[in-house]
């Protein structure tokens, strides 16, 4: 199912891949077709470019939460909203942001969430937050784990390849959540993070072996 893209997002989908082909070549690895309709695209986060990487790597528009501070700048607010982002006050249980995220899923769109809740300064994975699995469970949306990995495992460097790997789809009933307790959400989040970590380990190993050469695999 394809949903209508915002004009700025559609423009970026044409321009950004050309830029990345020169300055940050992408290798895209897919585990299979993405779900139809609503889904939660759940990724690690270590670069300001991460939302653009994930947007380039799949056909549908991805709608993201972005920290509210960014929306205080008029130009950034216009840019972010044009790309489908919406603000969240981090660490406050922002009900408005959660309501927007639920609406996106109810409209059968793709919600992007960075599971760590903040950027990693080193490229190493951080402790997962529970928001992604909570929204997926409560809105009966499948989760697609994604890992963004730079060659060498650290920060992204110009002219070096970046791998974007999609893992196997996790259906809501596979999360092991029965009563919706905090403990269940934490356990499901750890399981999801383990899937992302496994993608990262595989891709780092393949980078070392020189097996990540083509721009698209799977």
């Amino acid at each position: 199912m394809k949903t209508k893209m915002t004009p700025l997002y559609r423009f970026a989908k044409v321009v950004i891949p050309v830029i990345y082909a020169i300055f940050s070549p992408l290798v895209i690895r897919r585990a299979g077709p993405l779900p139809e309709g609503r889904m939660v695209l759940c990724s690690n986060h270590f670069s300001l470019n991460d939302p653009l990487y994930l947007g380039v790597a799949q056909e549908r528009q991805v709608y993201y939460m972005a920290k509210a501070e960014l929306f205080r700048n008029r130009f950034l607010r216009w840019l972010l909203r044009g790309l489908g982002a919406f603000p969240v006050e981090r660490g406050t249980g922002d009900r408005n942001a959660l309501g927007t995220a639920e609406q996106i899923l109810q409209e059968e769109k793709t919600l992007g969430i960075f599971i760590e809740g903040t950027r990693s300064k080193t490229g190493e994975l951080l402790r997962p937050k529970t928001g992604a699995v909570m929204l997926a469970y409560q809105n009966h949306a499948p989760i697609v784990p994604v890992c963004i990995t730079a060659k060498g495992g650290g920060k992204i460097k110009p002219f070096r390849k970046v791998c974007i790997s999609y893992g196997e789809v996790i259906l809501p009933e596979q999360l092991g959540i029965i009563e919706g307790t905090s403990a269940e959400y934490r356990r499901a989040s750890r399981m999801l993070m383990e899937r992302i970590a496994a993608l990262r380990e595989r891709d780092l190993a393949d980078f070392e072996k020189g097996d990540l050469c083509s721009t698209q695999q799977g």
Side-chain angles (χ1 to χ4, degrees):
M1 178 185 295
K2 293 184 180 180
T3 57
K4 186 177 180 181
M5 295 182 183
T6 61
L8 184 59
Y9 197 95
R10 189 181 301 110
F11 174 78
K13 286 280 287 182
V14 175
V15 175
I16 296 299
V18 177
I19 297 173
Y20 281 162
I22 300 172
F23 296 103
S24 185
L26 301 182
V27 177
I28 302 170
R29 308 182 87 175
R30 308 183 191 279
L34 295 177
E36 292 289 331
R38 72 186 71 179
M39 70 173 173
V40 177
L41 204 61
C42 191
S43 172
N44 63 319
H45 189 25
F46 68 105
S47 164
L48 290 172
N49 289 324
D50 292 344
L52 298 178
Y53 286 141
L54 297 184
V56 168
Q58 58 100 40
E59 294 183 2
R60 286 176 282 175
Q61 179 162 356
V62 184
Y63 294 83
Y64 290 97
M65 292 183 185
K67 61 182 181 180
E69 295 89 333
L70 297 175
F71 289 80
R72 292 167 189 160
N73 177 284
R74 181 178 297 179
F75 173 74
L76 279 179
R77 181 168 63 247
W78 170 83
L79 180 65
L80 289 167
R81 291 197 181 279
L83 292 173
F86 58 97
V88 58
E89 294 284 355
R90 295 186 298 178
T92 65
D94 189 337
R95 294 303 307 174
N96 288 333
L98 289 174
T100 301
E102 290 175 348
Q103 181 180 353
I104 287 168
L105 292 174
Q106 292 300 320
E107 292 175 354
E108 305 298 332
K109 296 178 180 177
T110 301
L111 176 67
I113 295 182
F114 295 111
I115 190 171
E116 298 146 303
T118 188
R119 278 183 291 140
S120 169
K121 296 180 179 180
T122 64
E124 296 295 326
L125 300 179
L126 305 177
R127 181 179 298 178
K129 304 295 185 182
T130 60
V133 297
M134 181 188 72
L135 284 165
Y137 172 73
Q138 293 180 352
N139 294 276
H140 201 69
I143 298 178
V144 179
V146 185
C147 190
I148 304 171
T149 307
K151 187 174 182 179
K155 302 293 285 184
I156 294 172
K157 297 180 180 180
F159 307 108
R160 299 191 72 179
K161 286 183 177 179
V162 176
C163 184
I164 304 171
S165 282
Y166 288 72
E168 297 286 346
V169 176
I170 304 172
L171 299 177
E173 54 269 27
Q174 295 174 318
L175 293 172
I177 299 172
I178 299 173
E179 298 179 355
T181 64
S182 297
E184 288 178 330
Y185 288 143
R186 287 194 298 270
R187 185 168 58 248
S189 296
R190 289 194 296 269
M191 179 269 286
L192 176 55
M193 196 60 163
E194 288 170 1
R195 298 280 189 97
I196 294 173
L199 294 173
R200 174 180 166 82
E201 291 172 7
R202 181 200 65 184
D203 294 343
L204 285 174
D206 286 350
F207 266 130
E208 286 295 316
K209 293 186 294 185
D211 290 345
L212 291 178
C213 298
S214 61
T215 57
Q216 183 160 322
Q217 301 182 12

